[in-house]
Amino acid sequence: MAELTYRDAVAAGIAQEMERDERVVLLGEDIGAAGGVFKATVGLFERFGPRRVRDTPISEQAIIGAAMGAAMTGLRPIAEIMFSDFFGVCWDMIANEIAKTRYMTNGQVALPLVIRTANGAGSRFGAQHSQSVENWAMAVPGLKVVAPSSPADVKGLIAAAVRDPDPVIVFEHKSLYSVKGEVPDGEALDALGAAKVLRTGKDCTIAALALMVPRAMEAAERLQAEHGIECEVIDVRSLVPLDTRTIMGSVVKTARLFTVEENPRLCGWGAEVASLVAEECFWDLDAPIVRITTPHVPLPAADSLEDATIPSVERIVDTVQRAMG
Amino acid sequence: MAELTYRDAVAAGIAQEMERDERVVLLGEDIGAAGGVFKATVGLFERFGPRRVRDTPISEQAIIGAAMGAAMTGLRPIAEIMFSDFFGVCWDMIANEIAKTRYMTNGQVALPLVIRTANGAGSRFGAQHSQSVENWAMAVPGLKVVAPSSPADVKGLIAAAVRDPDPVIVFEHKSLYSVKGEVPDGEALDALGAAKVLRTGKDCTIAALALMVPRAMEAAERLQAEHGIECEVIDVRSLVPLDTRTIMGSVVKTARLFTVEENPRLCGWGAEVASLVAEECFWDLDAPIVRITTPHVPLPAADSLEDATIPSVERIVDTVQRAMG
Amino acid sequence: MTTLEQARPLSAADDDIGREKRLRMYRMLLELRLCEKRAYDLFLQNLVKGTSHLSLGQEAVAAGFALGMRRDDYTFCTYRGHAHTLARGAAMAGVLGELMGRACGVTAGKGGSMHLTSVEHGAMGSYAIIGAHLPVACGAAWSAQYRGTDQVTVCFFGDGTTNIGAFHEALNFAVVWKLPVVFVCENNLYMEYTPIGTVTAVAHPAADRASAYGLDPVIVDGNDADAVFRVAAKAFERARAGEGPALIEAKTYRHSGHSRADPAKYRPQGELEQWLQRDPVNLYRERLVTLGYPELDLRSIEQDTARRVDEATQSAKASPTPALDLIHKDVWANGGSAWRN
Amino acid sequence: MTTLEQARPLSAADDDIGREKRLRMYRMLLELRLCEKRAYDLFLQNLVKGTSHLSLGQEAVAAGFALGMRRDDYTFCTYRGHAHTLARGAAMAGVLGELMGRACGVTAGKGGSMHLTSVEHGAMGSYAIIGAHLPVACGAAWSAQYRGTDQVTVCFFGDGTTNIGAFHEALNFAVVWKLPVVFVCENNLYMEYTPIGTVTAVAHPAADRASAYGLDPVIVDGNDADAVFRVAAKAFERARAGEGPALIEAKTYRHSGHSRADPAKYRPQGELEQWLQRDPVNLYRERLVTLGYPELDLRSIEQDTARRVDEATQSAKASPTPALDLIHKDVWANGGSAWRN
Ligand SMILES: Cc1ncc(C[n+]2csc(CCOP(=O)(O)OP(=O)(O)O)c2C)c(N)n1
Ligand SMILES: Cc1ncc(C[n+]2csc(CCOP(=O)(O)OP(=O)(O)O)c2C)c(N)n1
Ligand SMILES: [Mg+2]
Ligand SMILES: [Mg+2]
């Protein structure tokens, strides 16, 4: 076991796959010699050279398009979109081209590619560099979507994404890059579509994603310590495929569900989870499902405002405690 | 009362507003002399001239950007994006710029503009020209979103959208353009944020949008006639603002809710409605909320396949009848 | 500044192309022409579902390029892609069947007329959102470069497409990475119903932009299949030699409307007639005659092609509609569409 | 082909600009310089929240253009927009306060350093997603044209921005609609950490693209405020006269890293030093001295500006953090954020 930061685990996951498979190539802005603006690709350029690790112009459509064209002709590209907000400038390539091409060609075209991107708030970057847009991707049929919350997960899920025969969007979280965690030695290979129960509890289920996972965990500690409420915490990890079994299995046990979403309220991933659980676990629920989300507003930049906008440990504790009280 | 097609009602709504307000201008591809590819702007070029009705290059970012720049400096532009699928190529302008600018500037910049677009399936155009992406827009804070289902509504809601001080996306439905309906004489002016109860019933509530509204109405007829089930049918009309009062008022009465969505399943507008109702009407519901949606797949092109993919009258009847049975 | 590749003087000695290729070219031109005409007939019979965008009048571009391509080269084209897909060797029944929403269609009805694809023939897809395939073509070219094959990627698009952002990004990207990709602008004078000149800052939408990417401006007579073939061959040679991309503007004209819904009333009187006099299929036939190819040989090609189009039509008409379970197939590589467990 | 606007010979008779404007220019250059330096100091004191992108070294572009603008003209700029926003007249405390996340910030902390805006001064916003504001600038120019004012819109962006699609769409659009908009590329040689030449197909990212839009290529020494002013004046005149847009490439250099996170280690040794010798503020001071402006006058401007920057700093530091209810304000024109009834 080595202790790695989340950002180093990203690089480690990519390196592992590049080592293993010559078809894996990397492209994006400033990812090469500079090691990426979040330093998540440090060392790869030196190790694998400019043929496999390629800096690009500021041309997100070209980046994603190139990844798509390369994937359909035998490579396994990993494209970086520096901030997930920039999905806006290449959304056609992601949502209309990559997501639909296998289907439209009746399976003739395969697109084994990965799009990595820095998602989420916490850096005081303002409304155009802090969004959580995992729900944008989840809403588009044809994309697989993961959002790891720990160094070990990010390494294993990147490996799984690279080996997957379908396009996978990996949402890395900006505010997790500097977080450290144990990462098992040896080959990392996780599975897409598997949620993880991080903490068991009998009173209620909290489903969270990415940065919201450590917050939910801390909230669960406090709910236990201060209010005697035993929360089961699920790291959803993968939005598509969605591990409804794990989530519903927990709800059947606890009869209560809270979701903690960083995406703004309307049509967030929690809405989908809530609609599924409300339908299929209707008779199991003892009380309404409560969604804890970023309010439906763009994100403010100032530190004080930003901190008060996305779900905090306090807000989770308060909401759960009030609902359970 | 005149009988107009939905497409003519679009043009009538725009003409009414252009007549009233010199600041209203129109831009888009082939909207001028050609009258639009769906013939929804026929006659406007002739009536208001090339200064106010402007053809553009194939440059959706420029179209939306120009609308934005014009709106912040005193005009009230109406931009057409020919197919809503093409939001992909200008999504940054819509989701990142237009939606966030008032907020980011602390209210300094106002953006009274309208984006009209042809949404939805039924024309056998395939996966990139048939999408229902109203949930993409609903998911972004800062956008108002309407999707009218009748000629009268489209005229009145376009007028309301033009007069609204905020950016409004109007999703017109391709398969409704040729539908005829009564449109009241005189000035049309509807209100954003108001759903409509189109049919009252005591057994269950069906909430539908756009093309799904006439289908829900027909299904309600048949459910009544063939199964004696009395459905209340709500035309949601406006996703943002969302008229939760009308929807929840109905659910409180019927204790049952079905949503009929044309957008693909995951994170559709119905998920949001379901999560709201499941939370706030938890104790009123007699049975699970059921979402009837397009399955989470891209849309196939062939007529036989397309018809079997989006929700049909039959599927609504069957689903409701089975759930209520 | 722009180079107009002129048709060479016609004489029997003009054999830089050669008999075998010329006859293949003529056969291809005819096949594209007759197949498009058939598509139109089928539309009139209400058998074409959805839209369709014919290449009638533009066949020499598709044929001239395809004839110069290697089997393993890649073609990327647009919704106006029937001709390009056929030119790479896709079955006529597959193309017509797709337009009709039949099981025999090249994508079994899932893609439709705007997404014809036949990967086994190097037809890597028809793209319906303007500009999107230019970056994708860069990716295929990058892959060929990376794998060290000397495959060329050819990417076709219209004049109107030169005004969208993706065009710019792809061109710059291709040059910076020195990719073996040939961009071909089929300038048919119209962006849908709008004359291209009214929405474009320069006279030659592609050629006048070449220098913005450090490329040579190249304009070719897109109704002269030989001229197209020669320009293509030159660009392919350079690309295979690692000398990077090319941008070629082919001047041509579509005989019918933009799509099936369009009667093309916006065209000035006489314009169509003028272009019909330079019909690429007739032009080619006349040239072959001038070059001394026996009438009989040409007739036999014509009859054979007509017969094959008829057979393809019959076979497409006889094909059933696709099985409904296709709706839930092939979202994912495992063949299915499951998004949950 | 490119016109390099040269600094004119220096003599007291060189008064095409004139005393009043020259002193305003010097004051403005100083204000931008000292304010940026102060921003850096505040960052070192951990008082700047989020990121920030300084214009140190590029001040002559902002000053030269702003000096030529009318009060009602529009400026659109990028995240590297402190200088442009100040140059239009926004309060220094408003800019510094915004960087610090304080209530006195120009957007009360809601926008942050990358979204400085002061509509009352014609500073229509700083845009943080590359390329987005070029189309928006077209819209403002269209509005001015429509309303029949002769306002000019000026849109600043970097060299790296010329490779994104929106650049292309906006330029073509502006020319086709003959809009009164002046596009200004501040070529500081780098796109973040990457030398612009390695990702661009041409040597002059903007000027070499001008002909793709039928525009004249214009290159100006972006460290010479007078040269910038002259080029700007010419472009404004044409735009106000209805002669359409211009594209100007200003060669310059940023003295610090791309953003606060960047130590700028990728720069070749000696490069910074060379550019420091052409520091735009020093250059301008030397010119004024050569032109015979009294030392005392310059000193008094310097002292006054330093004092004003100090005062602004104090006032920003004294400003509280924004009220938390701002989070829910101004999503909509009614002041609120309600999405349901
Ligand atoms: C992004 C986008 N905008 C608009 C359209 C609608 N559209 C389809 S074809 C077309 C005109 C294309 O003109 P051109 O590039 O000249 O090709 P041609 O049809 O003449 O072959 C337009 C505007 C589209 N498909 N995609
Ligand atoms: C669409 C998009 N892609 C990438 C970025 C990240 N980014 C911010 S600044 C920058 C470099 C811009 O370079 P240039 O245009 O030369 O401007 P400069 O910073 O040098 O002023 C990049 C890549 C972004 N903000 N938006
Ligand atoms: Mg054309
Ligand atoms: Mg730069």
Side-chain angles (χ1 to χ4, degrees):
Chain A
M1 282 275 212
E3 188 162 72
L4 284 186
T5 59
Y6 188 93
R7 62 162 52 84
D8 289 341
V10 170
I14 298 172
Q16 169 189 297
E17 293 307 298
M18 292 186 77
E19 200 63 71
R20 192 185 54 78
D21 187 345
E22 171 84 16
R23 296 169 303 174
V24 179
V25 289
L26 214 63
L27 77 168
E29 294 160 17
D30 289 311
I31 59 152
V37 300
F38 295 106
K39 302 287 171 216
T41 53
V42 166
L44 299 173
F45 182 79
E46 291 72 17
R47 183 153 162 206
F48 299 101
R51 185 171 159 262
R52 297 184 66 191
V53 180
R54 305 204 59 163
D55 281 320
T56 69
I58 312 181
S59 306
E60 277 80 4
Q61 295 185 75
I63 293 170
I64 300 297
M68 175 173 171
M72 65 168 74
T73 53
L75 303 190
R76 296 197 157 238
I78 306 176
E80 172 175 307
I81 295 298
M82 197 184 286
F83 288 75
S84 63
D85 313 70
F86 308 164
F87 276 18
V89 295
C90 52
W91 191 234
D92 175 56
M93 302 304 313
I94 297 174
N96 288 331
E97 311 301 337
I98 285 176
K100 297 172 173 48
T101 292
R102 161 173 286 277
Y103 190 83
M104 292 194 301
T105 62
N106 198 28
Q108 289 181 69
V109 169
L111 291 175
L113 62 86
V114 176
I115 302 174
R116 297 173 41 242
T117 192
N119 195 46
S123 305
R124 293 78 174 90
F125 285 164
Q128 293 184 341
H129 283 68
S130 309
Q131 288 172 88
S132 288
V133 303
E134 61 275 11
N135 56 329
W136 294 7
M138 186 181 186
V140 178
L143 301 176
K144 295 182 177 173
V145 184
V146 298
S149 72
S150 73
D153 279 8
V154 87
K155 186 175 178 200
L157 286 172
I158 281 181
V162 171
R163 298 191 202 183
D164 197 85
D166 293 311
V168 182
I169 318 282
V170 179
F171 287 101
E172 299 165 10
H173 200 293
K174 278 182 223 77
S175 290
L176 292 174
Y177 277 127
S178 59
V179 167
K180 283 189 181 164
E182 295 293 330
V183 177
D185 300 325
E187 187 180 85
L189 183 59
D190 208 326
L192 306 182
K196 251 190 202 164
V197 179
L198 292 187
R199 178 192 174 102
T200 54
K202 62 172 184 24
D203 296 331
C204 71
T205 301
I206 305 181
L209 192 78
L211 180 65
M212 297 298 108
V213 172
R215 296 191 179 187
M217 287 295 282
E218 197 182 324
E221 298 272 343
R222 283 181 37 190
L223 283 159
Q224 162 97 55
E226 297 166 20
H227 305 282
I229 299 172
E230 291 179 27
C231 305
E232 182 138 312
V233 178
I234 295 179
D235 183 346
V236 175
R237 301 204 318 153
S238 176
L239 294 176
V240 182
L242 184 67
D243 184 356
T244 51
R245 272 198 217 153
T246 297
I247 297 168
M248 292 184 184
S250 175
V251 173
V252 166
K253 185 175 82 172
T254 63
R256 304 290 297 254
L257 175 64
F258 298 85
T259 60
V260 192
E261 295 162 75
E262 189 176 332
N263 54 214
R265 163 85 201 198
L266 297 183
C267 301
W269 62 261
E272 185 59 46
V273 169
S275 80
L276 284 162
V277 171
E279 180 172 354
E280 298 179 28
C281 306
F282 184 79
W283 305 107
D284 301 295
L285 284 168
D286 280 352
I289 300 163
V290 177
R291 293 174 58 202
I292 302 166
T293 78
T294 293
H296 206 62
V297 301
L299 282 165
D303 50 341
S304 55
L305 298 179
E306 189 182 42
D307 286 340
T309 306
I310 66 171
S312 61
V313 173
E314 288 65 37
R315 199 190 308 164
I316 302 169
V317 170
D318 287 356
T319 309
V320 173
Q321 191 259 322
R322 241 181 308 117
M324 302 287 294
Chain B
M1 282 276 211
E3 187 161 75
L4 285 186
T5 58
Y6 187 95
R7 62 162 52 84
D8 289 341
V10 170
I14 296 172
Q16 170 189 297
E17 293 307 298
M18 292 187 77
E19 199 65 71
R20 191 186 55 78
D21 186 344
E22 171 84 15
R23 297 169 302 173
V24 179
V25 289
L26 213 63
L27 76 166
E29 294 160 16
D30 290 311
I31 59 153
V37 299
F38 294 107
K39 302 288 170 216
T41 54
V42 165
L44 299 173
F45 182 80
E46 291 71 17
R47 185 153 160 205
F48 299 101
R51 185 171 159 263
R52 297 183 68 191
V53 181
R54 303 203 60 162
D55 280 320
T56 69
I58 312 180
S59 305
E60 278 80 4
Q61 295 185 74
I63 292 169
I64 300 297
M68 175 173 171
M72 65 166 75
T73 53
L75 303 190
R76 296 196 157 241
I78 305 176
E80 173 175 307
I81 295 298
M82 196 184 287
F83 287 75
S84 63
D85 314 68
F86 308 164
F87 276 18
V89 296
C90 52
W91 191 233
D92 175 57
M93 301 305 312
I94 298 174
N96 289 330
E97 312 300 337
I98 286 176
K100 297 173 171 46
T101 291
R102 161 174 285 278
Y103 190 82
M104 291 193 301
T105 63
N106 198 27
Q108 290 181 67
V109 169
L111 292 175
L113 64 85
V114 175
I115 302 173
R116 299 174 40 243
T117 192
N119 196 46
S123 304
R124 294 76 175 89
F125 284 164
Q128 294 185 339
H129 282 68
S130 309
Q131 288 173 89
S132 289
V133 303
E134 60 274 11
N135 55 330
W136 293 7
M138 186 181 188
V140 178
L143 301 175
K144 295 182 177 172
V145 183
V146 297
S149 72
S150 73
D153 279 8
V154 87
K155 186 176 179 198
L157 286 173
I158 280 181
V162 170
R163 297 189 202 184
D164 197 85
D166 293 310
V168 183
I169 319 281
V170 179
F171 286 100
E172 300 166 9
H173 201 292
K174 277 183 223 81
S175 290
L176 292 174
Y177 278 126
S178 60
V179 167
K180 284 189 180 167
E182 295 292 331
V183 177
D185 300 326
E187 187 180 84
L189 182 60
D190 209 325
L192 307 182
K196 251 190 201 166
V197 179
L198 293 187
R199 179 191 173 102
T200 54
K202 60 172 183 26
D203 297 330
C204 70
T205 301
I206 305 181
L209 191 78
L211 180 65
M212 298 298 108
V213 173
R215 295 191 179 186
M217 288 294 282
E218 198 183 326
E221 298 273 343
R222 283 182 35 192
L223 284 158
Q224 164 97 53
E226 296 166 19
H227 305 283
I229 300 172
E230 291 179 28
C231 305
E232 183 139 311
V233 178
I234 295 179
D235 183 346
V236 176
R237 301 205 317 154
S238 177
L239 294 177
V240 183
L242 184 67
D243 184 355
T244 50
R245 272 198 217 153
T246 298
I247 297 168
M248 291 184 186
S250 175
V251 172
V252 165
K253 186 176 81 175
T254 64
R256 304 288 297 252
L257 175 63
F258 298 84
T259 60
V260 191
E261 296 163 75
E262 189 176 332
N263 53 213
R265 163 86 203 200
L266 297 184
C267 301
W269 62 261
E272 186 58 48
V273 168
S275 80
L276 284 160
V277 171
E279 180 173 353
E280 299 179 27
C281 306
F282 184 78
W283 306 106
D284 301 295
L285 284 170
D286 281 352
I289 299 163
V290 176
R291 293 174 58 202
I292 302 166
T293 79
T294 294
H296 205 63
V297 302
L299 283 165
D303 50 341
S304 55
L305 297 179
E306 189 182 41
D307 286 340
T309 306
I310 66 171
S312 60
V313 174
E314 287 65 37
R315 199 189 310 163
I316 302 170
V317 170
D318 287 355
T319 310
V320 173
Q321 190 258 322
R322 240 179 310 118
M324 303 287 293
Chain C
M1 271 310 218
T2 50
T3 339
L4 187 58
E5 178 81 15
Q6 299 283 1
R8 308 215 181 152
L10 294 174
S11 85
D14 178 25
D15 64 353
D16 66 314
I17 291 176
R19 179 183 165 81
E20 188 261 347
K21 279 216 171 68
R22 285 199 188 281
L23 289 179
R24 269 175 57 208
M25 182 87 85
Y26 185 55
R27 183 182 288 276
M28 200 185 284
L29 284 167
L30 266 178
E31 175 175 327
L32 306 186
R33 169 61 52 92
L34 296 181
C35 215
E36 287 293 55
K37 282 191 153 171
R38 181 55 46 85
Y40 188 73
D41 296 341
L42 291 169
F43 154 57
L44 292 179
Q45 293 163 42
N46 213 13
L47 286 171
V48 172
K49 311 300 177 179
T51 184
S52 69
H53 304 77
L54 304 180
S55 291
L56 285 173
Q58 305 186 195
E59 297 91 341
V61 182
F65 272 92
L67 200 71
M69 291 174 78
R70 235 167 50 186
R71 263 199 81 86
D72 63 344
D73 289 338
Y74 299 122
T75 293
F76 289 83
C77 63
T78 72
Y79 51 88
R80 196 180 305 289
H82 312 174
H84 293 296
T85 308
L86 289 166
R88 292 306 308 280
M92 285 190 272
V95 168
L96 293 174
E98 189 65 32
L99 270 56
M100 296 160 69
R102 302 298 171 93
C104 74
V106 285
T107 70
K110 286 180 85 170
S113 86
M114 298 203 282
H115 298 288
L116 303 178
T117 305
S118 183
V119 168
E120 61 169 318
H121 298 97
M124 304 304 289
S126 305
Y127 293 75
I129 298 194
I130 294 293
H133 60 312
L134 281 79
V136 183
C138 286
W142 171 34
S143 159
Q145 182 191 62
Y146 183 87
R147 289 180 285 111
T149 65
D150 53 355
Q151 293 162 286
V152 161
T153 297
V154 186
C155 179
F156 300 94
F157 52 89
D159 44 285
T161 302
T162 62
N163 292 327
I164 201 160
F167 166 85
H168 181 66
E169 294 193 12
L171 265 288
N172 183 66
F173 194 90
V175 170
V176 172
W177 287 25
K178 238 184 172 186
L179 298 176
V181 54
V182 179
F183 294 104
V184 184
C185 174
E186 298 187 65
N187 183 351
N188 62 9
L189 313 190
Y190 291 92
M191 157 211 150
E192 286 189 348
Y193 318 146
T194 299
I196 189 66
T198 65
V199 289
T200 311
V202 289
H204 305 293
D208 288 348
R209 265 84 178 248
S211 68
Y213 314 105
L215 294 173
D216 289 333
V218 181
I219 295 182
V220 65
D221 177 351
N223 281 22
D224 181 337
D226 288 344
V228 170
F229 175 78
R230 291 191 189 101
V231 157
K234 225 183 287 179
F236 295 168
E237 208 177 290
R238 287 191 63 246
R240 292 197 214 282
E243 290 168 44
L247 173 60
I248 295 166
E249 179 168 337
K251 301 277 187 200
T252 184
Y253 196 78
R254 59 168 156 74
H255 293 166
S256 48
H258 167 71
S259 67
R260 57 179 266 180
D262 170 28
K265 294 213 178 116
Y266 44 81
R267 305 196 284 204
Q269 235 199 328
E271 188 179 77
L272 171 62
E273 290 65 28
Q274 264 192 327
W275 280 92
L276 282 173
Q277 298 196 342
R278 303 205 62 254
D279 179 287
V281 185
N282 293 349
L283 269 189
Y284 210 79
R285 190 181 206 286
E286 284 162 22
R287 180 169 305 158
L288 294 187
V289 171
T290 311
L291 285 171
Y293 286 73
E295 249 326 297
L296 259 182
D297 288 8
L298 305 185
R299 291 253 173 87
S300 118
I301 291 177
E302 287 152 10
Q303 283 160 3
D304 185 51
T305 307
R307 184 185 46 76
R308 286 176 48 243
V309 173
D310 285 341
E311 285 170 8
T313 310
Q314 288 323 313
S315 130
K317 281 186 175 170
S319 175
T321 57
L324 289 185
D325 65 355
L326 280 187
I327 292 169
H328 301 281
K329 283 193 173 158
D330 265 309
V331 172
W332 309 126
N334 70 4
S337 65
W339 50 268
R340 62 178 289 191
N341 58 6
Chain D
M1 267 310 219
T2 51
T3 338
L4 186 58
E5 178 80 15
Q6 297 285 2
R8 308 215 181 153
L10 296 175
S11 85
D14 178 24
D15 63 352
D16 66 315
I17 290 177
R19 178 181 165 81
E20 188 260 346
K21 279 217 171 67
R22 283 200 189 280
L23 289 180
R24 269 175 56 209
M25 182 86 84
Y26 185 55
R27 186 181 288 276
M28 199 186 284
L29 285 167
L30 266 179
E31 174 174 327
L32 307 186
R33 169 60 52 91
L34 296 182
C35 215
E36 286 294 53
K37 280 191 158 174
R38 181 55 45 86
Y40 188 72
D41 295 343
L42 291 169
F43 155 56
L44 291 179
Q45 293 163 44
N46 214 12
L47 286 170
V48 172
K49 310 302 178 181
T51 184
S52 70
H53 303 77
L54 305 180
S55 290
L56 284 173
Q58 305 186 195
E59 296 91 342
V61 182
F65 272 93
L67 201 72
M69 290 174 78
R70 235 168 50 187
R71 262 199 83 86
D72 63 344
D73 289 338
Y74 299 122
T75 293
F76 288 83
C77 63
T78 71
Y79 52 90
R80 195 180 304 291
H82 312 173
H84 293 297
T85 308
L86 290 167
R88 292 307 307 280
M92 284 190 273
V95 168
L96 293 174
E98 189 66 31
L99 269 56
M100 296 160 69
R102 301 299 170 93
C104 75
V106 286
T107 70
K110 286 180 86 171
S113 86
M114 297 202 284
H115 298 288
L116 302 178
T117 304
S118 183
V119 167
E120 61 169 317
H121 297 98
M124 304 305 289
S126 305
Y127 293 75
I129 298 194
I130 294 293
H133 60 311
L134 281 80
V136 182
C138 286
W142 172 34
S143 159
Q145 182 192 61
Y146 183 87
R147 289 180 285 111
T149 67
D150 54 357
Q151 293 163 285
V152 161
T153 297
V154 186
C155 179
F156 299 94
F157 52 89
D159 44 285
T161 303
T162 63
N163 292 327
I164 202 161
F167 166 87
H168 181 66
E169 294 193 11
L171 264 288
N172 183 66
F173 194 91
V175 170
V176 172
W177 287 25
K178 238 184 174 187
L179 298 176
V181 55
V182 179
F183 294 103
V184 184
C185 174
E186 297 187 64
N187 183 350
N188 61 9
L189 313 190
Y190 291 92
M191 157 212 150
E192 286 190 347
Y193 319 146
T194 299
I196 189 65
T198 64
V199 289
T200 310
V202 289
H204 304 294
D208 288 348
R209 264 84 179 250
S211 68
Y213 314 104
L215 294 173
D216 288 334
V218 181
I219 295 182
V220 65
D221 177 351
N223 281 22
D224 181 338
D226 288 345
V228 170
F229 175 78
R230 292 190 189 102
V231 158
K234 223 183 286 177
F236 294 167
E237 207 178 291
R238 289 190 63 247
R240 292 197 214 283
E243 289 169 43
L247 172 60
I248 295 167
E249 180 168 335
K251 299 279 188 201
T252 184
Y253 196 77
R254 59 167 156 74
H255 293 166
S256 47
H258 167 72
S259 68
R260 56 179 268 180
D262 170 27
K265 294 211 179 120
Y266 43 81
R267 305 196 283 204
Q269 235 198 328
E271 189 179 76
L272 172 62
E273 290 66 28
Q274 264 192 326
W275 280 92
L276 282 174
Q277 298 197 342
R278 303 205 61 254
D279 179 286
V281 185
N282 293 349
L283 270 188
Y284 209 78
R285 190 182 206 285
E286 284 161 22
R287 181 169 304 158
L288 293 187
V289 171
T290 312
L291 286 170
Y293 286 73
E295 250 323 301
L296 260 180
D297 289 9
L298 305 186
R299 291 251 175 89
S300 116
I301 292 177
E302 286 154 10
Q303 281 159 7
D304 186 51
T305 308
R307 185 183 46 75
R308 286 175 50 242
V309 172
D310 284 341
E311 284 170 10
T313 310
Q314 289 322 314
S315 131
K317 280 186 176 171
S319 176
T321 56
L324 289 185
D325 65 355
L326 280 186
I327 292 169
H328 301 282
K329 282 193 172 157
D330 264 309
V331 172
W332 309 126
N334 70 4
S337 65
W339 50 268
R340 62 178 287 189
N341 56 6

